[in-house]
């Protein structure tokens, strides 16, 4: 302990057995004489009790957050399983209600008055809407907490596939699609296909009096890609710009021209969240809508 090469500033954190149990930061620095021998040691003690208490509280909060995150993950998994089972189990009795109601109408149609026929038609239509709702809910449940299957996706092929799927709707509405050269991004291809399909299908469904025009654009930002899908449809009142992304929320529930269950845009929101992005809309009634959504650039599974 007489050589400077082996003597350096000594620092340590100690908690002495005092009555109030404080934490001390100890800084000890030796002073050497001309021969390199230790002449004296200067010690400095700092009370860091509050800092240590804050550190311990932060560790406790972090552990609580980890536990809560695990609980939420388990809840999401159980919820997805429940929805999956419930939707499958409910489809069979719905099918029976619809089938037997139609048989009732067919067999006794000549013996029933117009009011009875109307009631039967209501029952058949209600069963059909319920089946569609269950199927949409099943689609929604598949995206709860699902972050698997991320690969390099060619978005050009995605939009091409969506165009084929919606070919009849595009033809019937004389829809004009404007599509640029799109990028290749790490994403879940099934989800991204569903995302584009839902938004484009809505643009066609809520078309205005003129032929439908839909334009797809994107921006290559620093940490994400931002896409936009613009239409010339009937538009949305600004006060409903957030409500439409909530599950089961419909703005035209009383209008037979615009069928739906209020699940499609909620699915879109869930998909963008699973891609570390977000979705929003700008619109005015009668002036069309632009749906924006972002996809993170940090979804490469090899980087995790």
């Amino acid at each position: 302990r007489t050589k400077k090469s082996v003597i350096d500033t000594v620092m340590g954190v100690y908690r002495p057995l005092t009555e109030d149990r404080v934490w001390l930061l100890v800084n000890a620095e030796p002073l050497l004489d001309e021969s390199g021998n230790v002449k004296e040691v200067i010690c400095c003690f700092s009370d860091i009790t509050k800092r240590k208490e804050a550190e311990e509280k932060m560790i406790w909060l972090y552990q609580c957050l980890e536990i809560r995150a695990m609980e939420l993950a388990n809840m999401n998994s159980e919820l997805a399983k429940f929805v999956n089972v419930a939707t499958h189990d409910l489809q069979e009795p719905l099918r029976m209600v619809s089938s037997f109601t139609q048989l009732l109408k067919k067999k006794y149609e000549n013996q029933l008055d117009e009011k009875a026929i109307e009631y039967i038609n209501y029952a058949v239509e209600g069963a059909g809407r319920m089946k569609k709702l269950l199927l949409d809910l099943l689609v929604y449940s598949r995206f709860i907490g699902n972050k698997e299957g991320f690969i390099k996706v060619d978005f050009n092929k995605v939009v091409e596939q969506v165009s084929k799927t919606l070919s009849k709707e595009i033809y019937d509405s004389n829809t004009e699609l404007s599509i640029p050269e799109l990028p290749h991004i790490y994403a879940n291809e099934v989800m991204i296909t569903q995302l584009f399909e839902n938004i484009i299908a809505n643009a066609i469904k809520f078309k205005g009096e003129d032929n439908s025009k839909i334009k797809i654009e994107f921006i290559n930002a620093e940490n994400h890609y931002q896409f936009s899908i613009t239409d010339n449809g009937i538009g949305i009142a600004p006060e409903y710009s957030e409500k439409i992304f909530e599950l089961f929320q419909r703005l035209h529930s009383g209008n037979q021209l615009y069928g739906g269950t209020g699940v499609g845009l909620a699915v879109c929101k869930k998909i963008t969240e699973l891609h570390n992005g977000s979705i929003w809309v700008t619109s005015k009634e009668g002036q069309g809508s632009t749906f924006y959504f972002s996809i993170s650039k940090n979804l490469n599974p090899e980087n995790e």
Side-chain angles (χ1 to χ4, degrees):
R1 300 219 305 167
T2 61
K3 299 297 181 181
K4 190 177 188 318
S5 60
V6 296
I7 300 177
D8 205 344
T9 300
V10 178
M11 295 184 66
V13 177
Y14 301 93
R15 193 176 188 186
L17 293 173
T18 57
E19 189 173 327
D20 53 358
R21 298 283 289 176
V22 297
W23 284 96
L24 299 176
L25 175 65
V26 181
N27 188 340
E29 183 176 356
L31 295 180
L32 308 179
D33 57 22
E34 296 177 354
S35 302
N37 296 320
V38 178
K39 171 169 66 171
E40 57 183 310
V41 178
I42 298 177
C43 294
C44 178
F45 296 87
S46 302
D47 188 344
I48 59 168
T49 304
K50 290 184 178 180
R51 191 186 82 184
K52 293 296 292 183
E53 289 175 350
E55 289 177 357
E56 290 174 353
K57 188 173 183 179
M58 288 296 295
I59 292 172
W60 177 77
L61 289 172
Y62 180 75
Q63 291 173 340
C64 289
L65 286 173
E66 282 190 321
I67 293 171
R68 184 58 179 160
M70 292 177 63
E71 290 175 346
L72 288 173
N74 290 332
M75 287 172 62
N76 282 338
S77 177
E78 291 300 319
L79 177 60
K81 291 178 182 176
F82 169 77
V83 173
N84 190 32
V85 172
T87 50
H88 278 103
D89 289 350
L90 287 173
Q91 284 184 55
E92 180 57 25
L94 276 174
R95 187 191 65 79
M96 291 181 63
V97 169
S98 179
S99 297
F100 280 103
T101 305
Q102 290 178 21
L103 287 172
L104 181 66
K105 177 182 177 181
K106 184 178 180 180
K107 185 172 182 178
Y108 297 103
E109 187 171 11
N110 296 330
Q111 303 176 38
L112 299 173
D113 58 19
E114 290 184 2
K115 205 66 176 176
I117 296 295
E118 183 181 358
Y119 291 157
I120 290 176
N121 289 335
Y122 284 153
V124 173
E125 291 173 5
R129 287 196 300 271
M130 179 61 75
K131 182 178 181 180
K132 180 66 167 60
L133 177 62
L134 290 174
L135 291 174
D136 285 349
L137 189 58
L138 182 60
V139 171
Y140 181 81
S141 70
R142 289 172 182 163
F143 298 135
I144 298 177
N146 182 4
K147 281 201 170 187
E148 299 178 354
F150 283 77
I151 59 174
K152 198 70 171 287
V153 176
D154 183 350
F155 275 47
N156 297 289
K157 291 183 178 179
V158 167
V159 176
E160 182 182 349
Q161 179 58 50
V162 170
S163 299
K164 290 179 180 178
T165 302
L166 299 175
S167 58
K168 184 179 185 303
E169 290 82 354
I170 291 173
Y171 177 80
D172 291 344
S173 59
N174 292 317
T175 295
E176 179 184 326
L177 269 174
S178 175
I179 308 168
E181 185 69 22
L182 298 173
H184 295 60
I185 309 173
Y186 275 96
N188 182 297
E189 187 169 2
V190 174
M191 293 186 190
I192 293 299
T193 302
Q194 187 77 56
L195 175 60
F196 275 96
E197 183 177 329
N198 286 2
I199 296 177
I200 293 174
N202 270 359
I204 296 172
K205 179 167 67 173
F206 297 106
K207 66 184 292 291
E209 295 181 359
D210 299 328
N211 290 341
S212 180
K213 293 183 179 180
I214 302 172
K215 184 177 183 180
I216 300 175
E217 296 178 295
F218 78 95
I219 298 173
N220 187 352
E222 182 179 356
N223 298 314
H224 65 274
Y225 288 94
Q226 178 178 300
F227 292 84
S228 65
I229 301 179
T230 303
D231 64 62
N232 62 337
I234 62 175
I236 304 166
E239 59 266 30
Y240 298 115
S241 60
E242 294 184 8
K243 180 181 178 181
I244 59 174
F245 296 105
E246 297 176 9
L247 194 60
F248 303 133
Q249 295 298 320
R250 296 183 59 210
L251 303 185
H252 305 278
S253 56
N255 194 326
Q256 296 298 321
L257 293 175
Y258 307 116
T261 57
V263 175
L265 289 178
V267 167
C268 291
K269 181 181 179 182
K270 181 60 64 177
I271 291 172
T272 56
E273 289 173 350
L274 291 172
H275 286 77
N276 296 339
S278 58
I279 186 170
W280 66 100
V281 64
T282 59
S283 180
K284 289 183 179 179
E285 286 186 289
Q287 299 183 29
S289 306
T290 299
F291 282 84
Y292 298 90
F293 61 89
S294 59
I295 302 294
S296 173
K297 289 184 177 180
N298 302 315
L299 297 171
N300 187 348
E302 296 178 359
N303 296 333
E304 295 183 354

